[in-house]
């Protein structure tokens, strides 16, 4: 892979830098991270040609084994935990107006949710215990640890079917989808863990039930830091848990926005034997916009990810036959927040694509 593209994957680290710089510069500079994500990135996606190039066959194996790409994601784990602890310090030491506090919380969520959950998603698909551990650390910091169960064993099996909470339906607004995906996704993770334990002849109340850990660990994490800061400042630092759970809410809501975008209106056919056709590159929206793909570790090549979930991010392919988003995720997130605009742009595009390929 070209050196430029390798370096490009470090662009995600711009976000925590902007958050820290914006806070200390003061004033409207706290919105630097928001402006970068929702204004600069969409503009650059528009101005820069799409990257539809796929790795040559002889480069796939060396690229998939290269340590560089794993180390980028490992480094992110430590950066995210560090920036979140710095956030604890900020909210406990500095008084902020409500508007400034909201800007800081949502800015943190762009770091922990926008990039952090993306990295957790990448690591959580790997069998290596260390990568699985790092994925859980990242998801713990946004109170969404059950995602590693529901996404891998639920979503990837049921995607583009009515049984999948994370597949948005044609004509469904993001706000209706959010409630269904969050609640039913959690229920699905509980059921999947119950089935896993049952195969081992273990009770759902077994200590091996990961769902207990997934609920308790974020509380324990924030509890330890709340206690530590409270002892240091000789008062109950209630600002830390409020901040932690607030940024978690916005972080996993960003994930659900991405889920909404990735599979809007996708449906798998039912075969003669009553089963659904296998998942292919036709069952996810694709986007090969350069800048946003750097920031999101090529998550926007989502069609290939679902067709070949084993692939690491650096070797994901562009599929021209997949439904194509008109822009990268940054711009599409804004569009999804306004359902009438979303339906106006996406419904016609979805119908035209289905007519074109005959599905």
């Amino acid at each position: 892979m070209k050196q430029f593209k390798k370096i490009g994957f470090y662009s995600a680290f711009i976000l925590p830098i902007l958050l820290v710089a914006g806070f200390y510069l003061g004033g409207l500079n706290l919105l630097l991270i928001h402006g970068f994500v929702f204004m600069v990135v969409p503009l650059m996606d528009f101005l820069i040609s799409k990257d539809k190039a796929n790795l040559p066959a002889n480069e796939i194996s060396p690229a998939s084994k290269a340590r560089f790409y794993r180390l980028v994601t490992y480094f992110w784990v430590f950066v995210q935990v560090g920036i979140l602890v710095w956030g604890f310090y900020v909210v406990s030491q500095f008084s902020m107006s409500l508007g400034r506090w909201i800007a800081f919380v949502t800015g943190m969520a762009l770091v922990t949710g926008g990039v952090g959950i993306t990295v957790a998603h990448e690591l959580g698909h790997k069998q290596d215990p260390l990568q699985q551990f790092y994925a859980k650390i990242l998801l713990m910091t946004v109170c969404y640890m059950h995602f590693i169960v529901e996404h891998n064993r639920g979503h990837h099996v049921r995607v583009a079917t009515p049984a999948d909470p994370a597949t948005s339906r044609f004509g469904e607004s993001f706000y209706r989808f959010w409630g269904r995906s969050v609640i039913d996704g959690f229920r699905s993770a509980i059921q999947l863990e119950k089935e896993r334990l049952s195969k081992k002849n273990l009770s759902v109340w077994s200590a091996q039930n990961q769902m207990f850990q997934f609920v308790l660990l974020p509380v324990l994490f924030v509890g330890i830091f709340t206690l530590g800061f409270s002892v240091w400042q000789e008062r109950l630092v209630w600002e830390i848990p409020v901040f932690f759970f607030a940024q978690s809410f916005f972080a996993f809501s960003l994930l659900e926005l991405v889920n909404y975008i990735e599979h809007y209106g996708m449906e798998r056919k039912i075969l003669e034997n009553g089963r659904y056709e296998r998942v292919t590159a036709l069952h996810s929206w694709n986007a090969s916009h350069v800048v946003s793909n750097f920031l999101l570790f090529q998550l926007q090549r989502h069609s290939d990810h679902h067709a070949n979930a084993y692939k690491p991010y650096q070797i994901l392919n562009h599929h021209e036959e997949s439904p194509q988003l008109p822009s990268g995720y940054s711009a599409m997130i804004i569009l999804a927040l306004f359902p009438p605009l979303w339906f106006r742009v996406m419904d016609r595009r979805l119908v035209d694509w289905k007519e074109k390929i005959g599905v």
Side-chain angles (χ1 to χ4, degrees):
M1 185 176 286
K2 294 180 180 179
Q3 198 66 24
F4 168 73
K5 290 192 73 172
K6 291 179 70 173
I7 296 173
F9 290 121
Y10 272 100
S11 61
F13 295 94
I14 294 172
L15 269 64
I17 292 172
L18 288 176
L19 180 64
V20 174
F23 175 78
Y24 287 114
L25 288 172
L28 292 177
N29 290 300
L30 192 52
L31 297 175
L32 281 174
I33 186 172
H34 304 77
F36 177 77
V37 172
F38 295 117
M39 296 176 68
V40 175
V41 171
L43 180 61
M44 294 176 72
D45 275 342
F46 176 76
L47 295 175
I48 299 174
S49 299
K50 295 179 184 178
D51 176 20
K52 297 183 179 182
N54 297 325
L55 279 179
N58 65 320
E59 293 184 26
I60 292 175
S61 181
S64 64
K65 297 174 183 176
R67 294 180 65 231
F68 170 87
Y69 301 101
R70 292 196 305 274
L71 291 177
V72 176
T73 58
Y74 293 175
F75 185 37
W76 178 266
V77 178
F78 294 94
V79 169
Q80 176 158 319
V81 173
I83 207 75
L84 185 59
V85 173
W86 169 77
F88 292 163
Y89 167 76
V90 167
V91 298
S92 68
Q93 287 287 94
F94 298 88
S95 60
M96 290 184 272
S97 66
L98 179 60
R100 188 168 170 78
W101 186 84
I102 291 173
F104 187 69
V105 168
T106 53
M108 183 64 72
L110 288 173
V111 174
T112 59
V115 178
I117 296 181
T118 301
V119 175
H121 167 264
E122 173 68 22
L123 295 172
H125 270 288
K126 306 301 180 287
Q127 296 301 314
D128 175 53
L130 179 62
Q131 295 187 16
Q132 285 273 317
F133 173 73
Y134 281 156
K136 290 175 181 177
I137 290 292
L138 291 173
L139 293 171
M140 178 187 68
T141 64
V142 294
C143 301
Y144 229 55
M145 295 185 75
H146 69 280
F147 174 79
I148 204 166
V149 171
E150 160 55 22
H151 181 81
N152 292 7
R153 285 152 47 195
H155 174 60
H156 270 265
V157 174
R158 305 166 184 157
V159 64
T161 74
D164 178 36
T167 295
S168 50
R169 298 161 186 169
F170 180 78
E172 181 180 41
S173 74
F174 164 69
Y175 302 102
R176 178 172 293 182
F177 165 80
W178 184 93
R180 181 169 60 81
S181 185
V182 170
I183 296 170
D184 290 355
F186 188 79
R187 289 173 176 167
S188 174
I190 292 173
Q191 182 61 33
L192 288 166
E193 266 298 275
K194 183 179 179 181
E195 292 170 4
R196 183 184 70 86
L197 293 168
S198 178
K199 290 177 182 178
K200 295 183 175 183
N201 294 317
L202 293 172
S203 166
V204 69
W205 300 106
S206 166
Q208 294 187 39
N209 189 332
Q210 294 183 97
M211 292 302 292
F212 293 136
Q213 304 168 34
F214 294 165
V215 171
L216 293 174
L217 282 174
V219 177
L220 180 62
F221 172 77
V222 72
I224 290 172
F225 280 99
T226 301
L227 177 62
F229 275 87
S230 294
V231 171
W232 174 43
Q233 298 188 27
E234 298 181 337
R235 68 180 183 89
L236 177 61
V237 185
W238 56 268
E239 297 93 338
I240 287 178
V242 172
F243 165 74
F244 175 72
F245 292 117
Q247 68 84 28
S248 294
F249 170 83
F250 286 110
F252 69 69
S253 293
L254 269 176
L255 165 67
E256 296 301 348
L257 274 161
V258 170
N259 278 336
Y260 178 79
I261 292 163
E262 289 170 339
H263 302 288
Y264 178 71
M266 296 291 102
E267 297 176 307
R268 278 194 276 159
K269 295 178 182 177
I270 299 178
L271 304 176
E272 292 182 0
N273 61 8
R275 295 172 177 256
Y276 285 102
E277 63 178 321
R278 73 179 186 88
V279 180
T280 71
L282 300 179
H283 299 118
S284 305
W285 287 90
N286 192 73
S288 286
H289 298 80
V290 176
V291 177
S292 48
N293 258 326
F294 278 149
L295 285 173
L296 298 173
F297 298 91
Q298 299 208 127
L299 179 67
Q300 297 176 149
R301 291 191 167 190
H302 205 64
S303 51
D304 195 37
H305 168 68
H306 267 278
N308 305 283
Y310 66 90
K311 281 188 174 183
Y313 70 90
Q314 65 268 26
I315 65 169
L316 289 173
N317 286 334
H318 168 83
H319 289 271
E320 194 62 37
E321 71 275 17
S322 302
Q324 303 294 318
L325 290 170
S327 188
Y329 285 179
S330 289
M332 298 309 296
I333 283 172
I334 298 172
L335 196 66
L337 292 172
F338 300 92
L341 293 178
W342 172 267
F343 296 142
R344 184 174 180 179
V345 171
M346 292 301 295
D347 286 4
R348 185 71 255 173
R349 184 174 289 264
L350 177 62
V351 170
D352 289 347
W353 172 77
K354 287 188 173 183
E355 289 177 352
K356 179 181 178 181
I357 67 168
V359 298

